[in-house]
Amino acid sequence: MSYLSTKRRRDFRASRRQFMAVYITIGLGILLFASSFDAYRNLEASYSTTYERLAFSDMTISGVDDSFTTTAEGIHGVSDAEYRRQADLPMRVNGEVFFGRIVGPAGSGSSEINRLDITDGSALDESDLTGSVIETHMATEFSVGTGDKVEVLGTAGWIESTALGVAISAEYIWPARNRQEIFPPPETFGVMFVDDSFLDQVPANTITEQVLTRYDSSATVSTVDEKLTEASTSAGAASAIPQAQQSSNEALQLDVQGFAQMSVAFPALFLLAAGMATFILMTRIVFSQRSVIGTLRASGVSRRRLERHYLSFGLTAAVVGIAIGLPLGMLAGWLATGAYTNALGIPDSTAEFHLLTPVIGIAFGLLTGLLAAWVPARSATRLSPADAMRGEVPAESGSRSLPERILPPLRNLPIRWKMVLRGIGRSPKRTISTALGVALAVIVVLVSWGMLDSIQVLLGDQFNEIELQDVNVAMAAEIDDTTVDQIASIEGVDAAEPMVSLTAAVKGPKGTYETQLTGLQTDTVMHGFPDGLPTGGIIAGEALSAETGVEVGDEITVELPTVGTSIQEKLVGFVSEPMGTFLYIDNTALSSALDAGDPGVDGSAVLQSPVNTTVAARFADGFDRDAIIADIKKTDSVVTVIDAKALEQLLDQSMSFFYVFVGIMLLFGGAMAFALIFNTISVNVAERSTEYANMRANGISMTTLARLVAGENMILTMIGIPFGLLGGFLLGSQFMKTYSSDQFQMTFSVRPSTLILCSLAMLVVAGLSLIPALRTIRRLSIAEVVRERSL
């Protein structure tokens, strides 16, 4: 074994705690990358497998008749096109009424698009036209199984259907009603598949005609999407939704995109911190071994060999970190995939070995270790033997610290405080590296913590500032002033008013956007608007401009397929809302617009129709919420009550996987922050061991010395915290932007308490990190250090 190998082994032993911290930070970075990247790739593969097996539609065109199938099949790249009908209307199971959806044909044997995966019972039977297949989420929520009865409110009253089976549908892996209602409460929405003839028994104004398409495997998706969209627009379609924007798929892809972003952003942040820890440690080793380096150089050791020696420190740290993080990360990614697909009921769970994961992970780790060690290794080789052997004696005399020069009264401080201030300024590199290490630790923790805050703030804004109603009441009878007053008179109801909801499609220069038009009273107390609801014109979610190209002041065309007309209205403003991109209009203006629509329809009849309108109610404080809802359900003509608070709870629950993921980031971030600050402060103290030993030899007590060391390092920690808070906010804002879309306007929001707690946590970590450092000082052999210093 060479003398340099022996030296390296002894250096590792002497700085084992610091190297352990480096191993942990590199290992955590690799672990986070491998787990999130594998989960991302596996989720993509799982979705793709299910979509391909069930022939998920590449584009769904609504508002066209069956003749459009011929048009679609004539477009190059379209392999198949099928016509179907669906309807949204009240359904009843075991006495529970909700607003559900029936879809036909049901992807039975004759259909080649959007096939069903039958998990229980059988598919539709042509000899049983009243039979149905229940979508799995509805079956679970309402405890519906093969042979059970489900009722649908048809033209002549309730129609009974017998469940023939239960199935998974690629359209409803995430049970979204549409793109604007991605999170309907489970007890308010369900889907069942029926024979097409079943839909002849329901009101015509509840039916939506659709054409589903599939593309050739060799087709360029974007090109075919564009051609089909143009053809559907020419045919007067209400919407043309490509697979990427289909509501269920889009909701699932939010998580895929999140994993994709997390697989790069967080590991990069951790590896940056690991690189910083390695850099600090290597710089300290090189600095403390100046005389050794000088002796080696004077003894004939070449610069290249010396550089390779110190690079081996970074390489060793990288290899150990990779060995720890990579297998654990890949295992975690596979486990996360299984847990996620099982939780969502995705039938095909694909957990594969992706060669790219270890390749990138190893490259990340090696790059981190080698780059961090390269600068100090290079500086070691550039030292001349004479300069190196001179040791750590500074070339210049001491001077007043910067704070003393800026604030002269500080010159009158006790000597021990002057020593703290001057110690900070004596070595700018040490000061900057310590503050930077603290800042990086703060960034990692704040980004994770802030993302949790952001979701909570988003939900709070949505349900406390924007959607102010407690419930929406669906009725079977016409909704007029008498109906609204009936709900308002129930004990505990503070206010009630009609709320119109119409499926809508806005046409603009950039294309058509499917959304929802909501009609409210001008003086509404059910929805919060910054400047109130105008008496004329439409206001819209701000994402509408990017989606369609419309601007404030434009006269826009709004297709309303459920009432069979389109209206022209002026866009008078945009509103910023966390969830969805909706249209809002005053009920009186909506009625007039419908009367003047193309073709004109009876606006008053549309607004009073229970198909289009609900009664929004707000409760008074101090009353039993469940009791009020129970009283509303007892009211004549009430079909169902949609609890807005239940929706809030559902959204909070649906974020549980996100909370777990970010929570793990926060846990790892805390561990990394401790390792990084511990390493930085330990190096800081070890670097000045000779100085501290001489101070002990000159009579300074251990208590005083501990105060000096603690004071200096706590001040450096406090210097780094503000930069970390600023950097964490800026970086967190960039992370949250990657989640923003027309469905979610995500902003990075940090509560003041989070900033305070994060700062206090860093001070606590710094204090804990001082314990082993002070123990090291206490164990210093004064005689040995002074004797070494005199040589």
Side-chain angles (χ1 to χ4, degrees):
M1 182 178 294
S2 71
Y3 57 88
L4 286 179
S5 298
T6 302
K7 174 185 175 301
R8 180 170 55 244
R9 189 178 68 256
R10 291 175 177 173
D11 285 341
F12 276 127
R13 186 185 302 121
S15 302
R16 57 187 177 277
R17 292 189 181 90
Q18 289 76 26
F19 274 106
M20 184 61 70
V22 172
Y23 301 154
I24 291 172
T25 48
I26 293 180
L28 284 176
I30 300 298
L31 189 154
L32 286 175
F33 165 75
S35 59
S36 53
F37 190 71
D38 260 8
Y40 155 60
R41 297 294 296 273
N42 287 334
L43 285 178
E44 276 198 325
S46 298
Y47 295 153
S48 297
T49 301
T50 297
Y51 290 165
E52 188 62 31
R53 184 168 62 85
L54 300 182
F56 188 27
S57 175
D58 287 300
M59 179 171 281
T60 302
I61 298 103
S62 299
V64 291
D65 57 30
D66 58 354
S67 66
F68 189 75
T69 57
T70 304
T71 302
E73 289 174 339
I75 294 175
H76 180 70
V78 176
S79 62
D80 194 13
E82 290 185 0
Y83 169 81
R84 76 172 185 188
R85 297 185 296 168
Q86 69 178 37
D88 287 7
L89 68 182
M91 300 171 70
R92 186 165 63 189
V93 178
N94 299 324
E96 289 292 323
V97 180
F98 57 96
F99 205 67
R101 174 174 295 165
I102 57 175
V103 181
S108 55
S110 60
S111 177
E112 293 301 321
I113 303 179
N114 285 358
R115 293 192 293 266
L116 297 180
D117 185 3
I118 304 295
T119 58
D120 184 54
S122 62
L124 290 179
D125 186 346
E126 292 183 1
S127 64
D128 185 358
L129 301 182
T130 62
S132 58
V133 173
I134 310 300
E135 194 275 325
T136 184
H137 290 92
M138 176 179 166
T140 301
E141 178 63 29
F142 296 98
S143 301
V144 182
T146 302
D148 291 339
K149 304 296 183 182
V150 178
E151 295 175 287
V152 174
L153 187 59
T155 307
W158 291 101
I159 309 166
E160 190 176 85
S161 173
T162 302
L164 302 177
V166 176
I168 294 172
S169 167
E171 287 185 276
Y172 299 101
I173 290 177
W174 181 265
R177 189 189 299 274
N178 53 51
R179 294 188 73 239
Q180 302 302 325
E181 295 180 87
I182 293 179
F183 300 99
E187 70 276 9
T188 67
F189 181 63
V191 179
M192 74 177 192
F193 303 91
V194 298
D195 187 86
D196 186 67
S197 62
F198 194 95
L199 282 95
D200 294 334
Q201 306 174 72
V202 304
N205 62 355
T206 65
I207 294 176
T208 300
E209 296 180 286
Q210 296 179 329
V211 168
L212 313 179
T213 62
R214 285 282 291 174
Y215 300 166
D216 292 326
S217 57
S218 59
T220 303
V221 173
S222 59
T223 301
V224 184
D225 280 350
E226 185 178 351
K227 290 180 179 178
L228 261 178
T229 301
E230 290 175 358
S232 62
T233 301
S234 300
S239 66
I241 306 297
Q243 187 184 100
Q245 295 179 8
Q246 195 270 343
S247 54
S248 173
N249 183 43
E250 192 170 38
L252 295 173
Q253 290 302 320
L254 288 174
D255 283 330
V256 174
Q257 293 168 13
F259 276 114
Q261 297 294 334
M262 294 290 189
S263 69
V264 176
F266 270 99
L269 188 58
F270 273 58
L271 290 173
L272 176 63
M276 184 66 193
T278 308
F279 174 79
I280 292 171
L281 179 59
M282 289 301 304
T283 301
R284 174 258 165 179
I285 289 174
V286 170
F287 185 81
S288 65
Q289 295 183 2
R290 286 166 59 98
S291 58
V292 175
I293 293 169
T295 302
L296 291 171
R297 291 284 292 116
S299 300
V301 177
S302 67
R303 287 182 174 179
R304 186 176 297 277
R305 188 177 181 189
L306 200 58
E307 185 172 339
R308 286 200 303 267
H309 169 70
Y310 284 107
L311 278 174
S312 69
F313 285 71
L315 179 62
T316 302
V319 170
V320 174
I322 291 168
I324 295 171
L326 192 58
L328 290 177
M330 294 176 69
L331 177 62
W334 296 338
L335 293 175
T337 301
Y340 187 85
T341 54
N342 182 63
L344 290 182
I346 299 169
D348 301 286
S349 182
T350 304
E352 302 173 337
F353 173 76
H354 302 283
L355 181 60
L356 198 60
T357 302
V359 169
I360 296 178
I362 291 171
F364 276 176
L366 292 177
L367 199 62
T368 299
L370 291 175
L371 283 179
W374 180 74
V375 173
R378 193 169 184 272
S379 67
T381 66
R382 295 298 180 269
L383 291 171
S384 68
D387 287 339
M389 293 178 72
R390 189 169 60 86
E392 303 175 25
V393 180
E396 67 280 343
S397 60
S399 63
R400 290 191 176 99
S401 65
L402 180 62
E404 289 176 273
R405 293 197 294 271
I406 295 175
L407 298 173
L410 293 180
R411 299 171 188 173
N412 298 322
L413 286 172
I415 187 65
R416 61 179 179 273
W417 288 110
K418 289 183 183 180
M419 291 175 67
V420 170
L421 294 177
R422 294 178 184 182
I424 292 173
R426 278 176 54 196
S427 176
K429 289 182 179 179
R430 183 172 62 232
T431 298
I432 292 172
S433 64
T434 303
L436 184 56
V438 171
L440 280 172
V442 173
I443 287 172
V444 172
V445 173
L446 184 63
V447 168
S448 304
W449 205 334
M451 292 180 78
L452 293 175
D453 274 0
S454 298
I455 297 299
Q456 294 297 325
V457 170
L458 181 149
L459 294 177
D461 288 347
Q462 184 69 28
F463 294 101
N464 296 323
E465 304 294 333
I466 297 171
E467 295 187 22
L468 304 178
Q469 74 271 27
D470 285 282
V471 294
N472 284 87
V473 185
M475 312 289 290
E478 286 191 351
I479 296 177
D480 52 20
D481 291 343
T482 302
T483 310
V484 175
D485 291 342
Q486 187 180 17
I487 300 298
S489 65
I490 294 174
E491 185 179 11
V493 175
D494 182 55
E497 61 185 61
M499 180 180 290
V500 184
S501 182
L502 299 173
T503 299
V506 180
K507 294 186 176 180
K510 292 184 180 179
T512 301
Y513 182 76
E514 185 177 2
T515 181
Q516 180 177 291
L517 175 65
T518 300
L520 298 158
Q521 295 178 175
T522 302
D523 58 350
T524 181
V525 294
M526 301 299 166
H527 198 96
F529 296 103
D531 301 314
L533 183 65
T535 55
I538 287 176
I539 58 176
E542 59 185 359
L544 186 69
S545 178
E547 295 292 327
T548 64
V550 298
E551 300 292 343
V552 173
D554 291 350
E555 195 78 16
I556 62 174
T557 300
V558 182
E559 297 278 357
L560 303 172
T562 54
V563 293
T565 188
S566 64
I567 61 174
Q568 297 278 333
E569 279 292 319
K570 186 176 182 179
L571 181 63
V572 296
F574 288 117
V575 289
S576 177
E577 297 182 344
M579 295 177 57
T581 301
F582 298 100
L583 309 178
Y584 301 98
I585 188 172
D586 168 61
N587 279 339
T588 303
L590 175 58
S591 181
S592 300
L594 291 168
D595 290 338
D598 181 21
V601 296
D602 186 344
S604 297
V606 170
L607 267 62
Q608 292 183 355
S609 169
V611 174
N612 308 313
T613 306
T614 58
V615 178
R618 196 174 70 181
F619 300 161
D621 294 334
F623 287 85
D624 187 326
R625 181 182 187 81
D626 293 334
I628 300 173
I629 292 175
D631 289 342
I632 293 175
K633 288 182 176 180
K634 295 175 185 176
T635 306
D636 292 341
S637 300
V638 169
V639 173
T640 187
V641 178
I642 301 172
D643 189 346
K645 296 301 179 184
L647 175 57
E648 183 178 2
Q649 293 172 2
L650 171 68
L651 281 168
D652 197 45
Q653 292 170 5
S654 70
M655 295 291 180
S656 58
F657 199 80
F658 176 85
Y659 291 149
V660 170
F661 190 82
V662 176
I664 292 172
M665 298 299 107
L666 183 57
L667 179 64
F668 285 177
M672 192 281 297
F674 181 84
L676 183 58
I677 294 179
F678 166 78
N679 201 354
T680 302
I681 292 179
S682 296
V683 168
N684 225 1
V685 172
E687 195 174 83
R688 300 173 65 185
S689 59
T690 301
E691 178 183 339
Y692 294 144
N694 282 321
M695 292 169 70
R696 291 287 309 281
N698 288 320
I700 294 180
S701 68
M702 184 60 206
T703 301
T704 301
L705 186 58
R707 289 174 181 171
L708 293 176
V709 173
E712 180 176 332
N713 285 283
M714 295 303 281
I715 290 174
L716 289 174
T717 300
M718 288 187 283
I719 291 173
I721 285 174
F723 292 100
L725 295 177
L726 177 61
F729 186 84
L730 295 175
L731 190 60
S733 298
Q734 292 301 312
F735 281 176
M736 293 304 288
K737 284 180 182 178
T738 63
Y739 286 92
S740 292
S741 66
D742 60 305
Q743 302 302 311
F744 294 96
Q745 286 72 58
M746 309 286 275
T747 56
F748 189 68
S749 304
V750 183
R751 295 186 175 101
S753 59
T754 297
L755 299 176
I756 295 171
L757 290 173
C758 186
S759 301
L760 291 176
M762 292 303 107
L763 291 173
V764 170
V765 168
L768 293 174
S769 299
L770 282 168
I771 295 174
L774 293 174
R775 186 181 296 120
T776 300
I777 296 175
R778 187 182 298 275
R779 293 174 178 174
L780 285 174
S781 172
I782 299 175
E784 182 179 337
V785 172
V786 172
R787 183 174 64 253
E788 290 178 354
R789 182 66 177 165
S790 65
L791 294 177

